Amino acid sequence: MRGVLVDMRAIVVQKFGGTPELAEMPVPQPGHGEVQVALDSAGVNPFDLKMADGLLEGKMPTDFPMILGVDGAGTVSAIGSGVSKFAVGDKVVGKFLTAPAGHGSWAQYAVVPEDATLVPIPDGLTTVAAAALPTAGVTAQDLVDAARIQPDQTVLIVGATGGVGSFLVQLANIAGAQVIATARGDATDQVARLGAAETIDYTQTRPTDPNIVDPDLAAYHDSAITDAVHFTHPDGIDVLFDLVSGPTDFARHATLVRSGGHAYSTTWAADEPALRARDITGGNFESKGRAPELTRLLTRVAAGDVVVPIQMTVPLEAAPTVLGAGNARGKTVLAI
């Protein structure tokens, strides 16, 4: 443990919609069945900004000041009575979002129940790499599992350079798919190295969909993507993973999927009855992956089968400046 601290540094908001700020907070102590983790690294995800803006309001009890952050990695620094899965000194990674919300990973210490999504970090894997995995990596893995991708199927990934997308390109490629990735032109080499067989540069056209979720990705143009894919794959594609679009563009992209295929939206933009009418499975997707799925992904990373695409590492106090930043080229991780 890093000495005996009474207070710790953390990134908090004082209320939903408040401005994230660095603050001094009491060090949380583990109760019965709980594990205290001295955090070294924390992942940054789009969900963190949504959490600050009030996504959980009315859905989960929340304590204020609310410490942000879901993904984190570090060392078990104390355990409560009854804990049997972990010991002080264990290197661990997990999700630090449990009820009541507000005790997240963007802090020097966090406490979670031992049966939460918390698992050992394999030897040879850094906490920086591990902290990038729980949300984005497991979501990508869950998407590939849900689609049951078969060798030689054609998979379109809209939003391939972000956290989820960077993992999804790799995992779909490992499953044997021919991956079509949408990305800025200067990211073509990046997604090709991750496993994309084709890349569509979405910056060559103008925006059309006012409902697009990520404002930095407003250059996505449904006609550009659909026309390009129709040209190279006139018989359609097997799977669509759309990680960024609003309802209008998602519907257009879904027209590329042949009957019997799969289409998934992680931004809840899918009209599920319309997909079913065309014999397309999938729809709006939310990852349910917990400890077993995270352990499986960590094993693949430790074996060298999956690369963790770290875009940048910044200190904890810089978290407010990267929260919600667009044009992602992989994962941003906080060094605590």
Side-chain angles (χ1 to χ4, degrees):
M1 189 170 174
R2 307 168 186 177
V4 179
L5 296 180
V6 176
D7 293 318
M8 65 177 184
R9 296 179 302 125
I11 301 296
V12 308
V13 291
Q14 301 295 334
K15 62 181 180 179
F16 288 127
T19 301
E21 59 184 357
L22 184 67
E24 293 288 321
M25 294 288 290
V27 174
Q29 300 301 318
H32 178 77
E34 293 183 329
V35 177
Q36 182 196 68
V37 180
L39 292 157
D40 295 320
S41 307
V44 179
N45 298 291
F47 180 83
D48 300 315
L49 179 59
K50 296 175 184 178
M51 183 174 167
D53 286 343
L55 179 68
L56 300 179
E57 188 170 9
K59 300 177 182 178
M60 181 183 290
T62 305
D63 290 339
F64 289 97
M66 180 172 68
I67 300 175
L68 300 176
V70 175
D71 298 350
T75 304
V76 174
S77 46
I79 59 174
S81 60
V83 170
S84 59
K85 296 180 182 178
F86 301 98
V88 172
D90 289 349
K91 294 289 186 180
V92 294
V93 58
K95 294 183 179 181
F96 294 81
L97 177 60
T98 58
H103 306 273
S105 62
W106 290 9
Q108 289 178 282
Y109 293 88
V111 167
V112 290
E114 72 166 336
D115 60 356
T117 303
L118 189 72
V119 301
I121 298 175
D123 291 341
L125 196 63
T126 67
T127 58
V128 170
L133 294 171
T135 295
V138 172
T139 296
Q141 183 174 258
D142 285 352
L143 281 165
V144 170
D145 289 347
R148 297 190 177 97
I149 293 174
Q150 301 299 311
D152 298 323
Q153 286 189 325
T154 304
V155 175
L156 172 63
I157 301 173
V158 182
T161 58
V164 176
S166 295
F167 288 113
L168 194 50
V169 170
Q170 297 180 73
L171 293 170
N173 178 63
I174 291 170
Q178 180 181 357
V179 177
I180 309 168
T182 66
R184 292 177 181 270
D186 57 2
T188 299
D189 288 344
Q190 174 192 343
V191 293
R193 287 193 299 270
L194 294 177
E198 303 173 37
T199 304
I200 297 171
D201 181 359
Y202 65 82
T203 64
Q204 298 302 308
T205 57
R206 60 182 178 81
T208 58
D209 187 353
N211 297 312
I212 201 158
V213 172
D214 186 339
D216 187 69
L217 295 170
Y220 274 102
H221 185 234
D222 53 283
S223 295
I225 294 173
T226 53
D227 289 352
V229 176
H230 272 309
F231 180 78
T232 55
H233 301 276
D235 295 329
I237 61 174
D238 299 291
V239 182
L240 165 68
F241 296 125
D242 195 326
L243 312 176
V244 298
S245 295
T248 301
D249 280 352
F250 178 84
R252 300 285 176 83
H253 300 154
T255 65
L256 297 164
V257 181
R258 62 172 62 98
S259 177
H262 309 270
Y264 297 91
S265 168
T266 58
T267 58
W268 289 77
D271 181 340
E272 294 183 340
L275 294 177
R276 303 292 179 269
R278 296 184 50 228
D279 190 28
I280 296 173
T281 59
N284 297 308
F285 187 85
E286 182 177 2
S287 173
K288 302 296 185 183
R290 298 193 70 228
E293 290 75 23
L294 178 56
T295 297
R296 177 157 63 100
L297 182 59
L298 284 162
T299 300
R300 301 177 86 168
V301 173
D305 297 329
V306 175
V307 175
V308 181
I310 303 294
Q311 179 180 4
M312 59 179 170
T313 302
V314 300
L316 176 66
E317 55 267 25
T321 67
V322 298
L323 188 63
N327 194 25
R329 297 290 179 88
K331 290 291 299 180
T332 296
V333 176
L334 305 179
I336 300 172

